[in-house]
Amino acid sequence: MVSFHGESARLWAEVRAALPAGAAVIAGSTNSSTAESLALSREAERVGCDGLLLTVPAYNKPPQEGLVRHFTAIADATS
């Protein structure tokens, strides 16, 4: 069985391959968990995505400082 990460990475890679050179692929890599968002974001980068679409984690309602740490962790772990 393919994991959610594997399915997402495969989809992003196939979209990348189907588009002409110079077209940007933006990966939606948000998850309620910072660790999961980080893993998805790294996978997106690995398969050649040009950017990430990240939103505030749903359901757990972190405080402002938690949001800063969440997005900073992802930014620091990806190029």
Side-chain angles (χ1 to χ4, degrees):
M1 182 161 82
V2 177
S3 70
F4 175 71
H5 289 229
E7 289 176 352
S8 296
R10 181 176 171 199
L11 173 65
W12 296 326
E14 289 188 21
V15 168
R16 161 59 53 223
L19 291 175
V25 176
I26 309 300
S29 56
T30 293
N31 189 287
S32 293
S33 160
T34 297
E36 290 292 315
S37 292
L38 236 165
L40 282 166
S41 297
R42 286 180 176 146
E43 280 295 300
E45 184 173 45
R46 184 185 66 76
V47 299
C49 292
D50 301 290
L52 302 171
L53 175 63
L54 298 164
T55 62
V56 174
Y59 307 113
N60 48 5
K61 299 180 184 176
Q64 196 69 32
E65 179 59 30
L67 294 175
V68 170
R69 287 194 314 253
H70 172 80
F71 292 117
T72 299
I74 297 166
D76 289 347
T78 57
S79 62

